[in-house]
């Protein structure tokens, strides 16, 4: 399949290019910079310049590339620019999808997030309600998802927290600074992680998945008091004091009482696994300790 990979130099994109090529796809990667375009061609793909905020040039790039599928892995999270990231989700995705529609693209795979669900007492499945009250976060993510759904064949990947090379959770990166500064709390908040290579593999597989939303998270949503000490040890940084309390995921509505917001509940990967996604790193418990060897 001829695939346009928007964000080919990001943490997921740079792992996804060789996976797509190895699977026999033709790949056109996008970048805004000369260095980024050169990195894409060095990886064996074609490259096209694309700034997703420049609507006309985005439409032109899609028309020139004429892909059969678009994979949307654009974020501004490398620099932790959250406002710009929300703009990518709303305005950037709008431009990308309009370009894809005009170019007759029939398929899209798009990156979303898995911490969008309303409060609950178990890891969230894809059919559960969303926490629309968190408009600043959930609104742009849903704008992205509904724009993607305008393409005939569409899969949205709701990723857990990415860890591994190129992410915030890697030796010397943001989480290491947070630990050193005592900013990461080892409390009751539950998160789902996913290794960045498993996230990339899901995007490859999703080119063949049925339409819809799929959580891409590892097997073990866990409270921070369990994963933070393991991460600290893996990154060689000091571990914060652990907040004691109930070890089970607390019941819906009990969030504040047990030190967790109700939406801090993690997500279920049952659907992704049923679709054939088998993470190489099924849990952060083994993935975090392996990070030093990946650096
Ligand atoms: N689920 C999660 O936890 C999650 C998800 C995403 C990111 N993050 C965190 O952020 C880290 C960095 O993420 P990342 O690699 O996705 O971020 P990134 O390197 O900032 O950006 C990813 C891609 O988006 C492209 N891009 C950004 N703005 C663009 C624009 N206006 N027009 C066109 N392309 C644009 C970049 O292309 P060029 O620079 O080449 O133009 C780059 O290839 C992650 O590894 C992770 O730690 C977390």
């Amino acid at each position: 399949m001829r695939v346009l990979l928007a964000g080919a130099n990001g943490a997921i994109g740079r792992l996804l290019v060789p996976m797509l090529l190895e699977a026999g796809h033709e790949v056109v990667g996008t970048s805004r910079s000369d260095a980024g375009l050169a990195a894409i061609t060095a990886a064996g793909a074609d490259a096209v310049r694309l700034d997703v905020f420049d609507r006309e040039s985005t439409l032109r790039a899609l028309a020139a590339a004429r892909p059969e599928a678009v994979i949307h892995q654009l974020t501004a999270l490398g620099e932790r620019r959250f406002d710009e990231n929300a703009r990518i989700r709303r305005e950037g995705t709008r431009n990308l999808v309009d370009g894809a529609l005009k170019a007759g693209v029939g398929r899209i795979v798009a990156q979303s997030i898995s911490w969008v669900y309303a409060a609950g007492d178990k890891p969230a499945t894809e059919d559960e309600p969303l926490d629309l009250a968190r408009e600043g976060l959930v609104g742009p993510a849903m704008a992205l998802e509904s724009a993607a759904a305008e393409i005939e064949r569409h899969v949205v990947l709701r990723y857990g927290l990415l860890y591994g090379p190129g992410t915030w959770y890697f030796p010397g990166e943001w989480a290491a600074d947070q630990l050193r500064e005592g900013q990461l709390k080892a409390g009751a908040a539950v998160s789902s992680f996913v290794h960045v290579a498993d996230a990339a593999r899901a995007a490859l597989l999703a080119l063949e998945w049925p339409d819809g939303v799929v959580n891409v998270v590892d097997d073990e949503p866990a409270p921070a008091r369990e994963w933070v000490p393991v991460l600290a040890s893996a990154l060689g940084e000091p571990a914060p004091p652990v907040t004691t309390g109930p070890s089970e995921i607390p019941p819906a509505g009990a969030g504040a009482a047990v030190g967790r917001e109700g939406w801090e509940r993690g997500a279920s990967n049952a659907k992704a696994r049923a679709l054939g996604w088998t993470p190489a790193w099924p849990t952060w418990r083994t993935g975090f300790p392996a990070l030093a060897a990946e650096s």
Side-chain angles (χ1 to χ4, degrees):
M1 202 182 297
R2 185 165 167 82
V3 179
L4 181 129
L5 173 53
N9 288 315
I12 293 175
R14 73 182 80 123
L15 299 180
L16 186 50
V17 168
M19 289 180 190
L20 288 162
L21 291 172
E22 199 179 316
H25 297 295
E26 265 180 68
V27 181
V28 184
T30 77
S31 181
R32 293 161 296 174
S33 70
D34 290 343
L37 295 169
I40 293 164
T41 49
D46 292 333
V48 64
R49 191 178 299 273
L50 188 152
D51 181 336
V52 82
F53 296 139
D54 181 341
R55 183 175 168 83
E56 289 314 312
S57 85
T58 299
L59 300 190
R60 271 201 307 277
L62 265 295
R66 299 207 66 81
E68 294 161 270
V70 167
I71 300 182
H72 175 358
Q73 297 286 0
L74 302 175
T75 83
L77 294 172
E79 305 292 330
R80 298 180 65 79
R81 290 196 294 261
F82 296 102
D83 288 349
E84 188 176 321
N85 195 56
R87 191 176 162 219
I88 285 182
R89 287 181 176 150
R90 285 188 187 280
E91 183 184 329
T93 305
R94 182 71 266 151
N95 291 340
L96 194 68
V97 166
D98 285 347
L101 288 168
K102 277 193 168 216
V105 176
R107 196 179 290 258
I108 190 167
V109 173
Q111 171 185 159
S112 186
I113 49 176
S114 63
W115 51 99
V116 290
Y117 297 101
D121 55 1
K122 291 196 299 293
T125 54
E126 292 83 349
D127 51 359
E128 291 188 37
L130 303 173
D131 188 1
L132 298 174
R134 284 184 295 133
E135 160 57 27
L137 178 85
V138 179
M142 290 312 113
L144 176 152
E145 294 192 6
S146 59
E150 293 173 27
I151 306 278
E152 189 180 350
R153 300 285 316 276
H154 50 269
V155 177
V156 167
L157 304 175
R158 289 186 182 156
Y159 287 127
L161 291 170
L162 299 175
Y163 72 95
T167 77
W168 302 335
Y169 297 85
F170 199 62
E173 299 299 334
W174 172 82
D177 296 343
Q178 292 286 297
L179 284 162
R180 216 170 310 125
E181 292 162 15
Q183 297 295 323
L184 221 51
K185 306 290 178 223
V190 174
S191 297
S192 278
F193 282 90
V194 64
H195 191 284
V196 66
D198 288 323
R201 175 75 52 191
L204 167 68
L205 298 177
L207 287 170
E208 309 294 342
W209 285 352
D211 297 348
V213 170
V214 184
N215 294 334
V216 176
V217 295
D218 78 7
D219 291 347
E220 204 175 352
R225 64 171 158 267
E226 290 184 24
W227 63 260
V228 168
V230 179
L231 181 72
S233 163
L235 300 184
E237 302 293 347
V242 166
T243 311
T244 54
S247 58
E248 74 281 6
I249 293 178
V258 294
R260 168 190 88 109
E261 297 294 333
W263 58 267
E264 293 174 325
R265 59 187 288 202
S268 162
N269 67 12
K271 182 174 179 184
R273 279 190 166 278
L275 287 165
W277 178 73
T278 305
W281 298 102
T283 165
W284 51 271
R285 276 186 207 283
T286 50
F288 288 170
L291 288 175
E294 293 188 80
S295 61

